[in-house]
Amino acid sequence: RSLYVNLFVGSRARVKLGGTPITLSQETRYPWEGSIRITVDPEKPSRFTLLVRIPGWARNEPMPGGLYHYLPAPAQKIALSVNGADFAYNLDKGYARIERDWKPGDTVQLDLPMAVRRVLAAEPVAENRGMVALERGPLVFCVEQADNSGGIFNLLLADDATLAYSYREDRLGGLGEIRGKALALSRGADRVSVVKAPRDFTAIPYFAFGNRGPGEMSVWL
């Protein structure tokens, strides 16, 4: 008998498994934070397998198929515990298997790494060669003219540029943003040479663009 947890959202669900009613509760601020707390409440002690999805992005796979990959970065650890004790899980088709005797009030804590990542396209994708996209957790970010009045198609982001994430309650009802420093390219006075000047930039989740009037937007830098 198996019960799957596929989506991470603050919720409460009641299901029957093998005739036993089970209440499953989630507490989380995903996708802004990677902490997910799952409370398992079977009506009576029961043995079954709980399968918790481990997203591909947390396993260094932006999406299946190899079209995209992450710029190399320090390894990030996925932490899973049951009732406060570390749990060494087996991965089954993208799900962490937790097979045990469950009792009311048992908890599963999943902590997913949420560093800002750089995404590159495979070399055959000619349009994206030499370009990079920004991702944090499951969200892809974009730069929008509303936040970057000096232009966005002339920004050059170094591979080692420091990128900082923060959550803004006052931005579009509350969302995360990525800030960093890039180089803005422009023509010199002779209209031939290229001038590079440091410029602060802001990126917001791609799903949120276009809510502050028309303007330029790009996922790829």
Side-chain angles (χ1 to χ4, degrees):
R1 297 179 297 166
S2 300
L3 184 60
Y4 286 79
V5 175
N6 192 48
L7 300 177
F8 304 126
V9 60
S11 59
R12 181 181 175 88
R14 189 168 174 83
V15 299
K16 271 191 175 182
L17 196 63
T20 301
I22 301 168
T23 300
L24 212 63
S25 305
Q26 284 193 55
E27 299 171 67
T28 183
R29 293 193 71 247
Y30 189 87
W32 310 119
E33 296 178 7
S35 173
I36 300 110
R37 183 179 177 86
I38 303 167
T39 302
V40 183
D41 271 316
E43 198 167 86
K44 61 182 181 181
S46 179
R47 185 171 187 84
F48 58 89
T49 300
L50 185 70
L51 293 108
V52 180
R53 184 172 66 92
I54 306 297
W57 61 262
R59 296 182 280 112
N60 289 318
E61 186 181 358
M63 66 180 298
L67 184 60
Y68 301 103
H69 64 276
Y70 291 119
L71 190 68
Q76 301 179 92
K77 183 181 179 182
I78 300 167
L80 182 70
S81 63
V82 177
N83 294 334
D86 291 343
F87 185 84
Y89 61 88
N90 292 319
L91 200 63
D92 181 3
K93 297 180 181 178
Y95 290 81
R97 292 182 61 91
I98 310 173
E99 185 176 359
R100 65 190 304 273
D101 295 315
W102 298 91
K103 61 184 186 301
D106 282 344
T107 60
V108 174
Q109 177 69 36
L110 175 63
D111 291 299
L112 300 171
M114 298 287 275
V116 177
R117 308 291 298 272
R118 291 167 166 83
V119 182
L120 305 181
E123 187 65 21
V125 185
E127 291 292 330
N128 290 338
R129 286 178 193 158
M131 305 186 79
V132 64
L134 301 179
E135 181 180 294
R136 181 180 182 272
L139 299 179
V140 174
F141 284 67
C142 69
V143 288
E144 189 176 23
Q145 189 173 350
D147 301 307
N148 304 278
S149 58
I152 61 175
F153 298 119
N154 62 331
L155 294 179
L156 178 66
L157 182 64
D159 289 347
D160 59 354
T162 299
L163 301 172
Y165 169 84
S166 62
Y167 183 80
R168 292 277 301 273
E169 293 281 0
D170 60 340
R171 178 65 59 87
L172 295 173
L175 53 72
E177 66 178 23
I178 295 171
R179 289 181 174 269
K181 192 176 291 291
L183 290 176
L185 309 183
S186 61
R187 291 187 183 276
D190 59 5
R191 309 304 296 165
V192 176
S193 59
V194 176
V195 177
K196 299 179 181 180
R199 183 192 295 166
D200 294 329
F201 77 93
T202 300
I204 65 169
Y206 173 72
F207 75 79
F209 90 90
N211 284 285
R212 293 170 291 174
E216 296 176 345
M217 183 280 294
S218 183
V219 169
W220 295 93
L221 297 174

